[in-house]
Amino acid sequence: MFIFSDLSRAVIDGDTEQVKSLTQEAIETGISPQEILDKGLLSGMDEVGKLFQAQEMFIPELMISAEALNAGLDMIKPLFAEESKSNKKKVVIGTVQGDVHDIGKSLVSLMLGSKGFQVNDLGIDVSPADFVSAAKASGAQCVAMSAMLTTTMPVMKKTIDALLENGLRDKVAVIVGGAPVTREFAERIGADGYAPDYLTAVETVEKLLSNFDE
Ligand code: B1M
């Protein structure tokens, strides 16, 4: 469908107004939010990643593309929320300290919310101490961490250590993800779960928390 390639192009161009208008058109045409996201918005960001890698796009353009993508995402968020049914289990989520990439983390957060989890999204650049205090304060059953830089992956291990030091490690399941994170890395740092994408992340949290009381 042309609308998907047009939407991807608008993300690549960082054209927020065009992203908004095409997203609106796609919603009105009855295209599912999942398709708008995967075939339009994210496929555009995939291309942005390739252009950046090839040094054909630079940081300021990346930021503008991310803003444009987020504008479309904001419009489809309520459509995911309509499917929600509360299950009362609590998840604290964030992008780890030193890391400002928020798109993948926000998608995991959105999908968990749409499945009825009570999500406390701490945003980006979240320190181990902040994960610990949020988990403690909310009585969360799960801590979910995203990292997009090889240099920030070690913060995931530091956060697991901080949960242990604060007596929370056996009370929360820890799931990690993000482009450079692998299952092998997750196992090595003692995480309970790993997911390569936002849909698997939700399935993994559901599985991990199926044995926790509400
Ligand atoms: Co940055 N950046 N960036 N960047 N950026 C990457 C990640 C990079 C791979 C680009 C590259 O070099 N090819 C590279 C990292 C290399 C590495 O360490 N391995 C990189 C770099 C180097 C940097 C800077 C250091 C650049 C610089 O300043 N010189 C800098 C760091 C800033 C910082 O964080 N301190 C930087 C900055 C930025 C921007 C701010 C400009 C912008 C982010 C804007 C924003 O997020 N609001 C940005 C962007 C846009 C990217 C790329 C192009 C796209 C990232 C993205 O949003 N993808 C990225 C290239 C790439 O990934 N190919 C790149 C779409 C998103 C849906 O995918 O987040 O991977 P992703 O999420 C996936 C999965 O990973 C998974 O689910 C999603 C899909 O379903 N997932 C989880 C994510 N979190 C999960 C958590 C889970 C489970 C699954 O459980 C809890």
Side-chain angles (χ1 to χ4, degrees):
M1 265 200 214
F2 285 130
I3 196 156
F4 295 132
S5 51
D6 289 352
L7 199 44
S8 296
R9 171 47 56 193
V11 170
I12 298 164
D13 293 343
D15 186 341
T16 299
E17 286 317 308
Q18 180 74 342
V19 167
K20 283 186 183 166
S21 117
L22 288 166
T23 303
Q24 185 59 36
E25 192 184 325
I27 294 170
E28 282 165 10
T29 316
I31 298 173
S32 74
Q34 188 80 61
E35 278 190 301
I36 299 174
L37 181 59
D38 290 339
K39 297 184 182 171
L41 300 171
L42 292 186
S43 124
M45 189 48 83
D46 264 1
E47 189 55 31
V48 168
K50 286 177 193 149
L51 291 168
F52 181 65
Q53 184 86 40
Q55 299 190 335
E56 287 173 37
M57 264 181 102
F58 300 94
I59 296 289
E61 293 156 301
L62 246 56
M63 291 175 84
I64 295 166
S65 286
E67 256 174 54
L69 184 151
N70 278 329
L73 189 56
D74 282 346
M75 292 172 70
I76 56 173
K77 269 181 190 170
L79 306 177
F80 284 108
E82 274 168 21
E83 296 163 18
S84 79
K85 202 164 122 248
S86 184
N87 70 20
K88 296 198 180 71
K89 284 177 183 161
K90 297 180 191 125
V91 181
V92 166
I93 188 167
T95 300
V96 298
Q97 193 167 42
D99 202 322
V100 304
H101 295 86
D102 73 346
I103 297 172
K105 179 272 302 163
S106 297
L107 290 178
V108 176
S109 176
L110 171 67
M111 293 300 155
L112 286 170
S114 82
K115 290 286 175 186
F117 288 95
Q118 290 180 33
V119 185
N120 181 4
D121 189 336
L122 304 178
I124 53 171
D125 195 16
V126 182
S127 68
D130 286 345
F131 273 114
V132 167
S133 50
K136 205 181 262 177
S138 64
Q141 289 91 354
C142 179
V143 168
M145 290 181 269
S146 179
M148 289 293 287
L149 300 170
T150 40
T151 50
T152 56
M153 286 165 64
V155 181
M156 292 176 152
K157 168 81 167 82
K158 286 186 185 157
T159 305
I160 292 176
D161 290 345
L163 289 168
L164 188 65
E165 283 155 22
N166 285 272
L168 290 176
R169 186 62 191 95
D170 56 351
K171 297 188 179 70
V172 295
V174 175
I175 172 172
V176 294
V181 178
T182 60
R183 186 173 299 284
E184 191 273 327
F185 173 79
E187 281 167 10
R188 186 149 38 88
I189 64 169
D192 303 296
Y194 156 79
D197 60 70
Y198 67 94
L199 293 176
T200 318
V202 175
E203 284 168 20
T204 308
V205 171
E206 280 174 334
K207 252 186 234 153
L208 287 173
L209 298 195
S210 58
N211 296 326
F212 279 72
D213 292 333
E214 284 182 10

